């Protein structure tokens, strides 16, 4: 019995051990299963990240999908390391698509994750790079300096981790920062720093045979090397760049490198080498496929430009045609996609409406069956109520519309008045700033701050003008002024003026104005404002290195004008509101939202249409306006043909070459020219006086009446006057001065806050020699003043070479001609009288001696006494040439009563004695 119990106990223990073993084996299988499952999920995440990386340039939307998929799987698995890597890939995609705000939001998530989880320092270093790049391209002083701080933080973190690879990557990026800042500040200092950092990083990556980074460093060195100064060095960097990138076997990157170097060679004036490289890029792209259709279009276009640069215009034309076909293909594909989306949306909404309609019909039938009488009574009641509400709504809407029209009128009047009031204080702001900026010893920081103030002053003026134009259009006060003109010449002239700005921005700027030689009907002022706004926006919002392409043609008797820029994409939401007043694509976007609203209104006023589209990193604005006579009413048309000068408007800024750097005294004597400044604003009189006080004698007057009195009294060399003043305005002052023989010769510069062609035309027709709108550029004002006086000096020099006084050759207006006719008559009859003096001369002309002196000084460069002596000596020279009388008789005959004095004066004037002059004659 006891033995049996022992056997049973042993059996129980064996069963327990066997059961435990079975359970243990089962647990191990589950663990292996879990391990296999997690390994599969990790591999899936890594696969999504790899796909996202490969697609990020070709199809950003697909790349974004795979990155988001990797993020969701990482969160589900609870793997913070893979989650950080997924966030980093997503941030790079948004950064590459220029969605800086989204990229920064994602980077913030990585920083938050690193605070909870250790071991993410390497990824944090990468985020420093993205933060630096985004901050640098804000193009503000604070942003650029913050960019450097991010890179220094990355360098310190890589040292802490002892991660040599990341350390030298950060050194490369710091070198790129120095190369970037060298374009604006201390070029030599920052270029030297960039080279040291580049070569330090290059040494490390060459040692580790990391060809990708070797290529990146050589590309940075090539970019910062001036080809004009160091052509061989730049070529050497290009060759090493290509050699390194080829070793990576990354065909897409190799093609991109060939394309970039080809573009650099084209800009550097080496089209033959550029063609060789771009052909290599095309060959690779044809094999592996283009990243996108826009890239293919851009490559074909650049090949066309290179062929044109070497004179192969036939091939250039062929390639450009292919580029245009490709551009149309991109355009059609986008339109097709949009159309399909709209059609699908329409069909869905249509089906929903049909279902809703059927349900409503069924419910109505059921309700009608149940209570037809109640339905009828209810319908009558609802109709009555609806009628009452419609009546009240109509009456309220009428009152509202009347009130809105009244407000529009008040708003237009307010904007017009405030625009005029803004111009005078803007002049007083801009003028002193420009004066400070011209100082040679101004430090860099102060110069930058003053430049910002100057730029914003000009921007404020532009905004004031745009608001005024926009309010005029909306109130119906802006009228078309359509005239015949050479549309092709107008567009070429207008678009070419932006070439320099595009070059400064390192942007590809191309125009294709395909307008037949013919005259078309258009409003030049309105069309200029439209196109200027659109091109300015394209240049402003396209990053460096991107392209702006402008095309125009006549289709169906309408102008088709297209502006296409790369590097900027607008969302569908932004496209729907982009032409609204004060609309902006997002809070970070600069601008006020006035320019495009004004363009839209002006296009509509011109009976045209404007629309925008954006996709694949490209934005296109298209304008369509009629340009035939039949499209406009008689009241909108102006007779005659537009002159070229009508749309060759001067720019508000002047290049340094156009400004006279140092004014010289245009008078041969030491006496300073006399300048009269007439303005009712005391601050402006003081400021304009300060501009000329070093080289001119200044007199001032506070209105046109006082100004004419002072001008008649002192007879200045030049008058600067405002247009709108109490008592007599600038127009009246100009008219009075030009009508008086005493002051008719005086050049007058009209300086005014009252903008508009009509006001300028009135001023010039009255006799003003120049018309400058406030706020004015001080150098333009000084140069205009100098040039007017220089013109007077040339007339004086011409007079000094004339033997006989010819009034028509010296006078610049009818009053001056009358004065010179009277003067000639008096000189001809009294010059030979020895007692003919300046006193008798002035009395004969009805002037004071001072007035005669100033008048003659301005017209001939001589005082009254010098003028009489000059005329006598010229007459004497004629007598010595044509007469046989002796020298002493000639002197007495022309009014000299002292022979020795006559001989002395004659020799001083002609360089020889009278007797020697007679012998030579």
């Amino acid at each position: 019995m006891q033995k049996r119990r022992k056997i049973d106990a042993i059996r129980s223990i064996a069963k327990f051990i066997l059961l435990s073993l079975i359970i243990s084996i089962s647990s191990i299988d589950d663990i292996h299963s879990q391990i296999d499952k997690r390994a599969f999920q990790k591999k899936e995440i890594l696969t999504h990240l790899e796909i996202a990386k490969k697609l990020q340039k070709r199809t950003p939307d697909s790349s974004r999908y795979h990155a988001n998929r990797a993020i969701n799987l990482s969160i589900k698995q609870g793997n913070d390391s893979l989650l950080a890597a997924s966030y980093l890939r997503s941030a790079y995609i948004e950064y590459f698509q220029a969605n800086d705000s989204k990229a920064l939001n994602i980077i913030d998530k990585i920083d938050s994750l690193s605070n909870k989880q250790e071991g993410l320092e390497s990824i944090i270093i990468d985020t420093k790079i993205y933060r630096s790049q985004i901050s640098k391209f804000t193009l503000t002083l604070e942003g650029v300096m913050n960019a450097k701080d991010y890179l220094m933080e990355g360098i310190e973190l890589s040292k802490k981790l002892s991660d040599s690879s990341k350390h030298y990557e950060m050194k490369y990026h710091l070198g790129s920062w120095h190369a970037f800042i060298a374009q604006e500040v201390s070029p030599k200092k920052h270029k030297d720093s960039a080279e040291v950092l580049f070569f330090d990083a290059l040494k490390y990556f060459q040692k580790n045979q990391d060809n990708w980074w070797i290529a990146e460093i050589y590309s940075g060195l090539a970019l910062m090397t001036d080809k004009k100064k160091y052509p061989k060095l730049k070529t050497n960097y290009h060759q090493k760049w290509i050699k390194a990138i080829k070793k990576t076997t990354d065909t897409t990157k190799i093609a991109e490198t060939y394309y970039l170097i080809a573009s650099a060679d084209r800009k550097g004036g080496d089209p033959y080498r550029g063609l060789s490289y771009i052909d290599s890029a095309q060959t690779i792209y044809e094999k592996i496929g283009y990243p996108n259709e826009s890239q293919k279009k851009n490559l074909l276009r650049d090949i066309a430009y290179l062929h044109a640069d070497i004179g192969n215009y036939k091939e250039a034309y062929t390639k450009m045609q292919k580029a245009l076909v490709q551009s149309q293909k991109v355009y059609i594909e986008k339109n097709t996609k949009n159309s399909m989306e709209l059609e699908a949306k329409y069909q869905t909404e249509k089906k929903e409406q049909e279902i809703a309609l059927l349900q409503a019909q069924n419910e109505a039938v059921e309700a009608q069956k149940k209570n037809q009488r109640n339905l009828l009574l209810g319908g009558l009641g609802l109709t009555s109520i609806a009628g009452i509400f419609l009546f009240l709504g109509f009456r309220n809407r009428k009152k509202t519309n009347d009130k809105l029209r009244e407000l529009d009128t008040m708003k237009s009047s307010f904007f017009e008045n405030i625009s005029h009031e803004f111009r005078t204080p803007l002049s007083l702001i801009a003028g002193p700033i420009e004066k400070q900026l011209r100082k040679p010893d101004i430090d860099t920081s102060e110069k930058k701050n003053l430049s910002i103030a100057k730029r914003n002053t000009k921007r404020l003026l532009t905004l004031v003008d745009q608001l005024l134009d926009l309010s005029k259009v909306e109130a119906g006060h802006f009228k078309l002024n359509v005239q015949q003109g050479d549309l092709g010449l107008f567009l070429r002239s207008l678009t070419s003026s932006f070439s320099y700005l595009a070059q400064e921005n390192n942007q590809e700027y191309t125009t294709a104005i395909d307008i037949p030689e013919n005259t078309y009907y258009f409003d030049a002022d309105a069309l200029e404002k439209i196109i200027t706004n659109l091109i300015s926006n394209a240049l402003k919002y396209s990053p460096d290195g991107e392209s702006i392409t402008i095309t125009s043609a006549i289709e169906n008797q309408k102008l088709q004008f297209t502006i296409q820029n790369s590097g900027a994409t607008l969302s569908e939401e932004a496209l729907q509101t982009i032409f609204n007043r004060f609309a902006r694509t997002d809070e970070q976007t600069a601008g006020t939202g006035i320019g495009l609203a004004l363009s839209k209104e002006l296009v509509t006023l011109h009976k045209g249409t404007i629309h925008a589209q954006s996709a694949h990193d490209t934005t296109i604005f298209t304008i369509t306006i009629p340009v035939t006579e039949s499209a406009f009413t008689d009241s909108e048309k102006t007779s005659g043909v537009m002159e070229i000068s009508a749309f060759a408007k001067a720019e508000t800024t002047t290049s340094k070459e156009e400004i006279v750097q140092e004014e010289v005294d245009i008078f041969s004597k030491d006496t300073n020219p006399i300048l009269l400044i007439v303005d009712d604003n005391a601050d402006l009189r003081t400021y304009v006086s300060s501009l000329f006080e070093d080289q001119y004698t200044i007199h001032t007057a506070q209105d046109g009446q006082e100004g004419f009195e002072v001008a008649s009294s002192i007879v200045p060399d030049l008058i600067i006057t405002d247009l709108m003043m109490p008592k007599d305005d600038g127009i009246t002052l100009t008219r009075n001065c030009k009508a008086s023989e005493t002051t008719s010769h005086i050049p007058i510069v009209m300086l005014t806050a009252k903008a508009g062609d009509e006001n300028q035309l009135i001023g010039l027709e009255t006799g003003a020699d120049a018309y400058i709108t406030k706020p004015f550029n001080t150098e333009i004002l000084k140069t205009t003043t100098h040039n007017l006086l220089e013109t007077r000096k040339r007339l004086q020099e011409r007079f000094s070479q004339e033997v006989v006084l010819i009034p028509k050759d010296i006078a610049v207006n009818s009053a001056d001609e009358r004065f010179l006719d009277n003067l000639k008559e008096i000189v001809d009859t009294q010059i030979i009288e020895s007692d003919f003096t300046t006193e008798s001369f002035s009395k004969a002309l009805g002037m004071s001696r001072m007035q005669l002196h100033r008048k003659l000084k301005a017209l001939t460069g001589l005082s009254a006494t010098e003028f009489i002596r000059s005329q006598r000596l010229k007459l004497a020279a004629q007598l010595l040439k044509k007469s046989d009388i002796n020298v002493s008789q000639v002197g007495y005959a022309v009014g000299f009563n002292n022979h020795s004095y006559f001989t002395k004066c004659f020799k001083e004037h002609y360089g020889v004695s009278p007797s020697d002059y007679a012998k030579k004659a």
Side-chain angles (χ1 to χ4, degrees), residues 713-731:
S713 173
I714 66 171
V715 192
D717 295 288
L718 187 135
I719 298 173
I720 297 176
T721 179
D722 191 15
L723 176 62
M724 300 178 68
M725 295 181 292
K727 297 184 180 178
D728 289 347
D729 60 12
I731 299 293

Side-chain angles (χ1 to χ4, degrees), residues 677-682 685 700-707 710 725-728:
I677 299 169
V678 186
D679 199 297
D680 59 330
N681 186 293
R685 289 200 304 273
T700 61
Q702 63 183 0
D703 56 64
Q705 182 178 325
E706 181 185 351
V710 175
M725 295 181 292
K727 297 184 180 178
D728 289 347

Side-chain angles (χ1 to χ4, degrees), residues 504-704:
E504 288 292 300
N505 293 343
N506 193 29
Q507 295 167 326
E508 290 287 341
Y509 181 76
T510 57
T511 60
I513 310 299
D514 186 16
I515 307 293
E517 291 187 5
N518 199 351
T519 54
Y520 299 91
Y521 283 80
F522 60 97
D523 186 324
D525 180 58
L527 193 56
E528 181 189 13
K529 288 175 179 175
I530 296 165
I531 293 174
T532 299
N533 262 321
L534 294 175
I535 298 178
S536 297
N537 279 351
L539 292 169
K540 180 179 179 181
Y541 294 114
S542 291
D544 289 1
E546 298 295 338
S547 63
I548 294 93
T549 303
I550 297 172
T551 59
S552 67
I554 300 295
E555 297 180 9
N556 299 322
Q557 298 184 326
K558 292 183 179 181
L559 169 65
Q560 299 284 344
F561 190 90
T562 302
I563 299 172
Q564 177 177 314
N565 61 291
S566 63
T569 305
L570 298 176
S571 65
E572 290 296 329
E573 182 181 353
L575 288 173
Q576 291 175 5
T577 61
I578 195 168
F579 295 112
N580 293 349
R581 189 192 289 195
F582 308 123
R584 291 192 293 174
T585 54
D586 55 63
E587 290 301 320
Q588 285 71 40
T589 302
T592 60
I594 297 173
L596 288 178
L598 175 60
S599 299
K600 173 77 162 57
E601 294 292 343
L602 291 175
V603 169
T604 303
L605 186 67
H606 212 292
K607 299 173 175 56
T609 60
I610 179 173
H611 68 272
Q613 55 188 11
S614 184
H616 305 299
D617 207 27
T618 300
T619 301
I620 302 173
F621 283 86
T622 303
I623 304 166
T624 303
I625 59 172
V627 288
T628 57
E629 182 178 7
S630 60
F632 305 100
T633 63
D634 292 339
S635 62
E636 295 170 333
K637 290 182 291 190
T638 301
S639 59
V641 178
M642 190 185 305
E643 297 293 336
I644 294 177
S645 59
F647 45 77
K649 294 187 176 180
E651 294 293 324
T652 56
T653 57
T654 308
S655 66
K656 293 181 179 178
E657 292 75 15
E658 295 172 321
I659 297 176
V660 178
Q661 294 296 321
E662 183 179 357
E663 293 184 11
V664 296
D665 189 356
I666 66 168
F667 290 89
S668 57
K669 303 296 182 182
D670 294 332
T671 306
N672 286 337
I674 297 175
L675 180 63
L676 173 61
I677 299 169
V678 186
D679 199 297
D680 59 330
N681 186 293
D683 288 337
L684 196 59
R685 289 200 304 273
T686 301
Y687 173 64
V688 176
S689 298
S690 71
L691 299 177
F692 298 94
E693 60 188 3
D694 293 335
Q695 293 180 301
Y696 295 80
T697 301
I698 307 297
H699 292 266
T700 61
Q702 63 183 0
D703 56 64

Side-chain angles (χ1 to χ4, degrees), residues 239-439:
Q239 291 172 348
K240 290 182 177 180
W241 179 8
I242 293 171
K243 183 178 179 181
I245 203 64
K246 281 184 175 180
K247 291 180 180 179
T248 66
T249 67
D250 185 342
T251 52
T252 301
K253 194 68 178 176
I254 294 169
E256 288 178 1
T257 300
Y258 279 133
Y259 191 11
L260 289 171
I261 295 176
S263 299
D265 284 336
R266 179 177 171 249
K267 293 176 184 176
D270 194 351
Y272 287 99
R273 203 166 79 104
L275 266 176
S276 173
Y277 284 127
I278 205 167
D279 286 342
S280 298
Q282 186 182 27
T283 301
I284 295 173
Y285 279 136
E286 292 294 338
K287 288 181 180 178
I288 66 173
Y290 289 88
N292 50 61
E293 295 298 331
S294 293
Q295 179 79 347
K296 183 176 182 180
K297 175 206 67 178
N298 293 338
L299 184 136
L300 290 170
R301 179 202 60 201
D302 289 343
I303 293 175
Y305 292 150
L306 286 164
H307 278 291
D309 289 342
I310 64 174
N312 188 357
Y313 298 110
K314 183 178 179 181
E315 187 65 21
Y317 175 79
T318 302
K319 295 295 183 183
M320 184 56 77
Q321 288 294 109
K322 290 183 178 179
L324 290 173
V325 170
Q326 183 64 23
S327 178
Q328 188 68 18
K329 182 180 178 182
V330 173
Y331 177 75
I332 291 171
E333 284 182 356
K334 183 175 187 316
N335 277 353
T336 302
K337 181 181 177 182
N338 290 341
S339 298
M340 290 174 68
E341 290 175 354
L342 288 173
E343 179 64 22
K345 185 177 179 181
Y346 170 74
Q347 292 296 340
T348 302
E349 290 179 352
K350 186 178 179 182
K351 288 179 180 178
E352 290 175 352
Q353 290 174 356
E354 288 175 353
I355 292 170
L357 181 61
L358 288 172
Q359 289 175 346
Q361 287 175 346
N362 290 334
E363 289 173 0
V365 169
E366 290 297 324
Q368 187 176 21
K369 288 179 179 178
K370 290 179 180 179
N371 199 341
Q372 193 172 25
R373 180 179 177 185
N374 290 340
L375 182 62
L376 178 60
L377 292 174
L380 290 173
L382 288 173
T383 303
S384 301
I385 294 171
I388 293 170
F389 274 109
L390 285 172
F391 172 75
L392 293 174
F394 172 76
R395 189 172 65 178
N396 290 336
R397 182 174 295 180
K398 186 176 184 299
K399 289 181 179 179
T400 302
N401 289 339
D402 291 341
K403 190 66 177 177
L404 287 174
R405 279 193 290 270
E406 182 182 349
L407 286 173
D408 277 339
T409 303
M410 293 173 63
K411 180 177 63 176
S412 297
S413 177
F414 166 77
F415 279 129
E416 186 170 1
N417 292 333
I418 204 69
S419 173
H420 293 161
E421 291 299 324
F422 275 169
R423 289 177 178 272
T424 294
L426 281 174
S427 297
L428 295 172
I429 294 170
I433 291 173
E434 290 171 358
K435 187 174 182 180
Q436 290 296 316
L437 284 170
R438 289 194 301 276
K439 288 184 177 180

